[in-house]
Amino acid sequence: MPLPNFYHHIHRTLHQQAEQVLLVWPGGASAGHSTSYTGHDLGLRIAAYQHLLRGQGVQSGQPVLLALPVGAELICGLLAIMSLGAVPVLPPAGTSAVGLLKLLKLLRRNGVGAALVPSKGARRYGWLARGLGLRLFGAPKNVGTNELLLPQAVPATQPALVSHSSGSTGQAKAIRRSHAVLTAQHQVLKQVFPPWQGQRDFPLFPNILLHNLSVGAVSVLPDVPWGQLAKLEPARVVQQLQATQVETLTGNVFYFAALCGHLEQHPTPLPHVRALGVGGSPVPESLLQRLRSCFADAEVYVIYGSSEAEPIAVRAAATAPNPRGGYCVGPVQAGLSCRLQPLGAVELPNGSKYPVGEVCVQGAHVAAEPGAWLHTGDFGYFDAQNQLWLTGRQGNEAIHLGVQHYQVEHVLHMQAGVERAAARATAAGFDIYYQGTASEAAVRAALAQHFPAGLCNRVLPRRHLPVDRRHLSKILYDQLR
C-alpha cells in the first residue's frame, strides 16, 4: 500500500502556520539584512515549482538534480520535487570545483535525466544539456497564484531525497533516504529534542530545515557563506544571534570553536539560547567546556551520527569524561540496534579492557537496504554504563599497545597550544602531527604522561593539518605529510 509522502508533514505546516514566519534567510553581503518567509509565502513559491515541473512531465519516482543556488528557492524547489513524488538529488559539497565531466558521471550513476536550474542557465545551456541527454528546467520567474498541490502518495521505500556524504574517507557517496527513513529520522529528533511552539532554531546546515518545517519551528539560517565555512565571520554570527534571539543551535566543531573564540575575546550575554548540539566529527571535551562557559544558560549536547543515520547517539555534556578513553558520545538511541564488528581490544590505564569494533547500526531511521547493517566506518567500544566511546576511524584503525588513534588525539586536544592533532598509525605505533603553538617537548611530555612508552614515534608540528571540505573538522589522514 502506498504511504503518504514525507512532504505531507510540511504541507500541513504550511497551511496551519500560513501567517507565521517559518524561514529567515540571511542577506549575505548585506550585513544585518534578511528575508522572512511565512507559510503562505513558501506555499506560493512551492506551488509555482510544482506547476512548472508537472507541466514539464516530471513523474513520480523520477530523479531531478537541484542545481539552484543555496537559498529559499532551493528549498522550495526541493519540496516541490518531493511533493510530486519525484526524487530531489543534491550534488556533493564543492561540486563547482568538481568539473563538468565528473558531474555528468554523478548524474549517470544516479539515473538523473533532468535538472532544476536558474532560468538564465536553462536558456543558455539547454541545447548543450539536451545533447548530453539532460533536460534543464529553469526556475519560474513569477510566484503567481497557482494552487498548492497535495502531496503525491508514494511507496514507503521510494527515495525521498538523495544527498552525498562528506567524502572524508574517500569519494563522496550518494545517500538515499526513503520516505520511511526521513519520517523515522523526523520522529526520533522530535523525541530526543521535543519542539515547542514558536521555537527559533539556528541550523548551520540547511538539511535540518526539513525537520523544522515538519514541526513548525522557525529556521533562522546563520549568516555564513554556504559551502565556504572557512569564510565564517564569527562577529556577524554572534550579532545575528543577539538580533534574532534564537533559542537552539546546531553546528560542527570548526563553527563552534570559531564562535567561542570570538565570545571569549568579546563576552556577549546570550541568555535566550536554551540548547545547542555539536557534531559532524569527534567533539573534544575542551570545546564542550568552552561552550558551557560561552553559552552559560544553554544545555550542551554531543550528537553522533552519519549521513545515513541521524542521530545514532546523543550525550548531554554536563560532565567531562576522561579523554584518554576516546570520545564519549553517550547511549545509542532507542529503536536502533547496534553491534561492533570485532577488531581487537583497548586497554585503559586502570587496567580495564574493552572489545573494540566497527560501529554497525540497523533500524527504522537508518538509510540502508532492508535488513542490512550500516557500517559507519567508526570504531569504538561500550563501557560498563553502556555508553558508546569512539576510538578510531576506518583507514587508520590499527590498535597499538591497546590504543587507537582517537584516544591519542583527544588527549592532545586538551593540551594548551594544540589547535588540532592527528595520530597516524604505522607498523610500529603512531606518528603524531599537530597544529598550534605548543612545543614538541610539551607534546611529547603529554604523550608520555598518558600512554605506554614506545607507542608514539615521530612528533611533527605542522602549520595546517588537512581536513575535509564540508566540516573543516575531519582529518584527512591519507594527506598527512
Side-chain angles (χ1 to χ4, degrees), residues 174-211:
I175 310 300
R176 293 173 173 82
R177 295 175 179 88
S178 68
H179 288 270
V181 165
L182 269 187
T183 298
Q185 290 182 348
H186 161 62
Q187 296 297 342
V188 169
L189 288 172
K190 277 177 65 176
Q191 293 166 13
V192 178
F193 301 110
W196 56 87
Q197 187 173 11
Q199 178 184 354
R200 298 177 68 80
D201 187 49
F202 200 68
L204 178 61
F205 296 110
N207 61 339
I208 202 68
L209 282 175
L210 295 182
H211 171 70

Side-chain angles (χ1 to χ4, degrees), residues 92-156:
T95 292
S96 57
V98 165
L100 180 60
L101 210 54
K102 288 188 177 180
L103 181 58
L104 287 173
K105 288 181 180 178
L106 169 74
L107 297 179
R108 290 196 181 100
R109 281 202 308 270
N110 287 286
V112 177
L116 191 52
V117 302
S119 55
K120 185 183 294 186
R123 291 194 303 271
R124 182 175 296 176
Y125 301 111
W127 62 274
L128 176 61
R130 284 192 296 273
L132 297 170
L134 181 67
R135 296 174 65 203
L136 300 185
F137 306 139
K141 290 183 179 180
N142 302 312
V143 172
T145 57
N146 292 310
E147 181 184 355
L148 186 62
L149 301 177
L150 293 171
Q152 171 72 45
V154 293

Side-chain angles (χ1 to χ4, degrees), residues 2-32:
L3 293 178
N5 191 314
F6 173 78
Y7 165 80
H8 88 276
H9 299 285
I10 297 169
H11 187 83
R12 181 183 59 215
T13 298
L14 297 178
H15 282 284
Q16 291 179 348
Q17 299 179 216
E19 303 307 317
Q20 297 174 33
V21 171
L22 293 173
L23 177 63
V24 181
W25 209 279
S30 304

Side-chain angles (χ1 to χ4, degrees), residues 149-466:
L149 301 177
L150 293 171
Q152 171 72 45
V154 293
T157 55
Q158 179 175 303
L161 177 66
V162 178
S163 58
H164 290 80
S165 65
S166 63
S168 60
T169 55
Q171 286 191 341
K173 58 182 178 179
I175 310 300
R176 293 173 173 82
R177 295 175 179 88
S178 68
H179 288 270
V181 165
L182 269 187
T183 298
Q185 290 182 348
H186 161 62
Q187 296 297 342
V188 169
L189 288 172
K190 277 177 65 176
Q191 293 166 13
V192 178
F193 301 110
W196 56 87
Q197 187 173 11
Q199 178 184 354
R200 298 177 68 80
D201 187 49
F202 200 68
L204 178 61
F205 296 110
N207 61 339
I208 202 68
L209 282 175
L210 295 182
H211 171 70
N212 284 350
L213 286 169
S214 296
V215 298
V218 183
S219 296
V220 181
L221 274 294
D223 195 358
V224 179
W226 172 246
Q228 302 177 68
L229 192 55
K231 294 184 178 180
L232 163 70
E233 296 180 31
R236 284 177 73 143
V237 175
V238 170
Q239 182 183 21
Q240 194 184 5
L241 282 172
Q242 281 188 300
T244 58
Q245 296 197 338
V246 295
E247 298 159 299
T248 52
L249 298 82
T250 50
N252 62 18
V253 169
F254 176 88
Y255 172 74
F256 277 121
L259 293 189
C260 285
H262 177 81
L263 290 168
E264 287 160 354
Q265 293 295 318
H266 308 277
T268 306
L270 297 166
H272 47 277
V273 177
R274 295 167 53 172
L276 59 87
V278 54
S281 65
V283 183
E285 291 299 324
S286 54
L287 176 59
L288 296 173
Q289 291 172 5
R290 297 171 70 192
L291 287 169
R292 289 195 295 268
S293 175
C294 292
F295 297 87
D297 298 293
E299 296 285 342
V300 178
Y301 295 90
V302 175
I303 302 174
Y304 166 59
S306 69
S307 299
E308 301 92 338
E310 301 172 305
I312 293 174
V314 176
R315 175 187 144 222
T319 59
N322 188 344
R324 172 62 172 77
Y327 294 96
C328 181
V329 296
V332 170
Q333 284 301 296
L336 272 187
S337 298
C338 182
R339 71 181 187 190
L340 302 178
Q341 191 75 23
L343 176 70
V346 295
E347 182 173 356
L348 302 185
N350 64 5
S352 300
K353 290 185 178 181
Y354 296 101
V356 162
E358 184 179 6
V359 178
C360 303
V361 293
Q362 186 183 69
H365 73 275
V366 177
E369 293 297 321
W373 288 86
L374 172 70
H375 291 247
T376 64
D378 295 316
F379 290 79
Y381 65 90
F382 286 98
D383 66 15
Q385 287 73 45
N386 215 29
Q387 304 272 314
L388 177 61
W389 293 69
L390 302 180
T391 51
R393 181 67 186 157
Q394 187 178 51
N396 194 37
E397 69 266 28
I399 301 173
H400 290 297
L401 300 179
V403 176
Q404 277 194 300
H405 69 99
Y406 276 171
Q407 297 170 273
V408 178
E409 292 166 8
H410 199 181
V411 164
L412 291 180
H413 280 137
M414 303 299 289
Q415 307 307 308
V418 175
E419 297 172 18
R420 195 171 269 152
R424 187 168 66 180
T426 68
F430 295 102
D431 282 343
I432 307 302
Y433 299 76
Y434 75 95
Q435 172 184 325
T437 58
S439 67
E440 180 182 338
V443 171
R444 286 193 177 278
L447 294 170
Q449 179 184 350
H450 293 278
F451 297 102
L455 177 71
C456 300
N457 306 315
R458 298 182 298 168
V459 174
L460 305 165
R462 292 291 184 262
R463 188 172 180 180
H464 298 290
L465 297 187

